Amino acid sequence: YHLKRNGISYQLSKTDSEKINTSEFAKHTRATQTQPDQISISRLDINWLNSNQNSKIIKGSPNKGYDNYYLENCPNGVLHVQNYREITYQNIYTGIDLKWYGQSGHLKYDYIVAAGADYKQIKLDIKGAEKIYINEQGELEIKTSLGTIIEQAPVVTQNTQHLKATWVIKKNVVSYD
């Protein structure tokens, strides 16, 4: 996944076929003897409609290590990219912050709505899905050509009290009630 100023993109991939790895590296090391020959890729973009694209981004504690990315259009790579345990978009909507974090190996997020702020500002425009629907458990299912992303039913608390909440779908725009 990639967090952006106006949303999040998920890139899903699947190895369709493999071939024998004939590289010099594989011959002289214990590298895998096969490598992907053909890969299917699907991208899902979720954009926050009418959001504040100049919201302040607050980085939490950094994770150990870093990532390196090598792309055709950047052969020297993008090196030493730091990852963080949490990222908060401050005031992404008027009176609303959005916090992303990992929990038990899963990507999670919370909208933190200030007193008096209108949660109905939150609208997610989903592009790249084959189908979007709410299952019997109240979860949002986003079907793609390579699988289904499941968003749990919304959980809303106010002053430690749980409130009833549901997903709302209008074409490819998802919001809350």
Side-chain angles (χ1 to χ4, degrees), residues 10-14 40-44 144 146-149:
Y10 294 93
Q11 183 170 310
L12 310 170
S13 62
K14 175 181 90 169
S40 294
I41 296 174
S42 177
R43 179 175 165 151
L44 182 73
T144 75
L146 294 181
T148 302
I149 294 173

Side-chain angles (χ1 to χ4, degrees), residues 1 4 18-19 24-25 38 40 45 51-54 60 82-83 95 98 116 127 129 132 135 139 143 162 164:
Y1 65 91
K4 307 178 299 181
E18 294 182 333
K19 65 182 179 181
E24 288 299 315
F25 180 76
Q38 186 168 350
S40 294
D45 291 309
S51 66
N52 173 11
Q53 294 187 25
N54 294 316
Q82 185 68 60
N83 289 303
L98 173 56
K127 304 248 189 258
I132 305 167
N135 66 22
E139 300 167 323
K143 185 177 182 209
H162 288 284
K164 183 178 178 186

